Amino acid sequence: MSVKQLDSLDKIVSLSKARGFIFQSSEIYGGLSAVYDYGPLGVELKRNIRDAWWKAMTQTHDNIVGVDAAIFMHPKVWEASGHVEGFNDPMIDDKQSKKRYRADMLIEQHIQKLRDKGKSDKADELQQKLDTTGTRKGLCEDLYDIIMEEEIKAPESGAFDWTEVRQFNLMFKTHYGATSKDDDDAIYLRPETAQGIFVNYKNVLDTARVQIPFGIAQVGKAFRNEVVARQFVFRMREFEQMEMQYFVQPGEDEKSYEEWLNTRLEWFKSLGIREENLRVAPHPDDKLAHYARAAADIQFNFPIGWQEVEGIHNRTDFDLSRHQEYSGKKMEYFDQKEQKRYIPYVVETSIGLDRCTLMALCDAYREEEVDGDSRTVLKLHPKLAPTKVGIFPLVKKPELKELAFKIEKNLKEDFTVLYDESGSIGKRYRRQDEAGTPFCITVDFDGLEDNTVTIRYRDDMEQERVSVDKLDTVIRNRMKSWKSE
Ligand code: GAP
């Protein structure tokens, strides 16, 4: 059997549309860029990932509780968090095509071109220059100077006719209340779910009987007016985050940061993501977000290269201190054991649910040639598979359908199942391979005699005869012992 791994994101985009995983938003109107809708299979896959995360973070930890904060928050929250001032991308416009680009990304692409041409000394020199512009006040001017000196042209029009570089805030602004018009009533769609946790830290402390160290987890939508947003659900303007803030005693933060980095990496493996497609990339000090003392990404090897799926951040007491300052409410914790008061430090784990869904699809995708026949198959971990069991009568005969319906009814209690009687058995298997369904059951005439059926396994296409009464156990055992290959 020859196996081909995924070599282009376009294949996932096509499969997603063809099989009902992910569609472009408002497609009948031409679509809305960087916004996507999940179809029947996608919604199940995404929900399975969300449930796996929630279980891993809250149900299996005695000291982590959940919240579900609103998307709209008091505008002061975003002043306190630093997002109003600091959540910007440096943008430059091509005057000829009117297209807007991220200035630092244009330079990165230029550096890559230099490398491709073998000019690595020049590329290194420029990379160093770019890296040291990172956090300085004159960032826009510095980036503009590099673009001018290097005579970097606009990728699409080829023109060298740029505006100045300007900071562009990524938060979506809207107005709150029917009568409001002016900027005084401006309110933001949250760009991260984390702040909903920080503003509820006191409420949780007062009600949930938690003691430090403890965590608060949340899953919810976030919105960013991303400028470069062309990579399917990898970078969206409306997306979902799964975040957890872990509150620790100052001084315990570094140890906790290392522990969470490991714990989170193991979670990816528990979803069946292949180890060779995962790596940890620490952020260099001069590239840290405004709130972080240390940060690392868990990256996945997408067809577009190694990219972040999750960020682990040591946020220190930055957020709680700022909320104390801006709200005037005390954020201190009294530590009974230590008999002292302090503002806790925070280790954050922050993962994008959509990006994680894309990762699962990319990791699972294979094209296989089997005895001259080809198939596309999603070798998803069975616990993530949108449909667990396909049930087929061999032919459309009432007696076979009756037994198939009976099996469907029994298995439905515990698994997502799909009944399918159309097309040849081979075609039905292929459809379920593309949907990632790990088990398919075929009901034939022999089964009417001896109460057995054929179960076919997605990954190796092996088949075996199983008694109808044992189906539940066989499926459960296979799900438990499943390993990625
Ligand atoms: N609270 C910290 C925070 O938001 P981040 O690194 O900006 O950190 C965390 O985002 C995760 O959210 C990323 O690792 C990514 O998976 C996801 N994410 C961020 N921006 C995204 C976007 N535009 N589209 C899809 N996912 C995104």
Side-chain angles (χ1 to χ4, degrees), residues 192 194 224 226 233-236 239 241 243 291 308-311 313 315 348 350-352 355:
E192 61 171 13
R224 295 183 188 178
E226 299 281 3
V233 294
F234 179 80
R235 200 178 304 282
M236 304 157 88
F239 57 101
Q241 285 187 316
E243 299 199 296
Y291 50 74
E308 168 188 356
V309 181
E310 171 154 358
H313 311 122
R315 294 182 78 124
E348 169 184 71
S350 173
I351 179 167
R355 211 175 271 189

Side-chain angles (χ1 to χ4, degrees), residues 252-355:
E252 296 292 311
D253 47 312
E254 284 174 26
K255 186 168 143 256
S256 177
Y257 168 80
E258 292 301 332
E259 282 168 3
W260 275 111
L261 192 53
N262 285 332
T263 306
R264 293 303 304 147
L265 190 60
E266 288 307 312
W267 181 78
F268 281 73
K269 295 179 199 164
S270 78
L271 295 189
I273 306 301
R274 288 171 289 173
E275 278 191 60
E276 66 267 28
N277 284 336
L278 293 168
R279 74 177 187 194
V280 171
H283 292 200
D285 285 353
D286 60 346
K287 293 272 184 197
L288 289 174
H290 60 272
Y291 50 74
R293 171 194 268 187
D297 295 339
I298 297 179
Q299 296 185 335
F300 175 76
N301 190 12
F302 287 98
I304 49 172
W306 285 97
Q307 299 285 350
E308 168 188 356
V309 181
E310 171 154 358
I312 318 295
H313 311 122
N314 180 349
R315 294 182 78 124
T316 67
D317 58 355
F318 175 85
D319 301 88
L320 290 182
S321 299
R322 294 273 289 202
H323 285 305
Q324 175 165 290
E325 185 188 334
Y326 280 70
S327 69
K329 302 280 182 319
K330 282 253 176 281
M331 294 290 160
E332 283 175 344
Y333 171 83
F334 181 67
D335 193 321
Q336 303 270 5
K337 250 193 268 154
E338 303 284 328
Q339 285 293 302
K340 64 178 182 193
R341 239 172 243 291
Y342 52 78
I343 294 184
Y345 271 34
V346 171
V347 173
E348 169 184 71
T349 71
S350 173
I351 179 167
L353 177 52
D354 310 88
R355 211 175 271 189

Side-chain angles (χ1 to χ4, degrees), residues 366-391:
R366 313 274 198 289
E367 287 167 22
E368 292 179 350
E369 290 284 337
V370 202
D371 302 330
D373 199 7
S374 63
R375 69 165 186 163
T376 299
V377 54
L378 290 181
K379 293 189 172 176
L380 290 164
H381 192 304
K383 74 178 168 190
L384 298 188
T387 308
K388 308 285 185 251
V389 192
I391 301 171

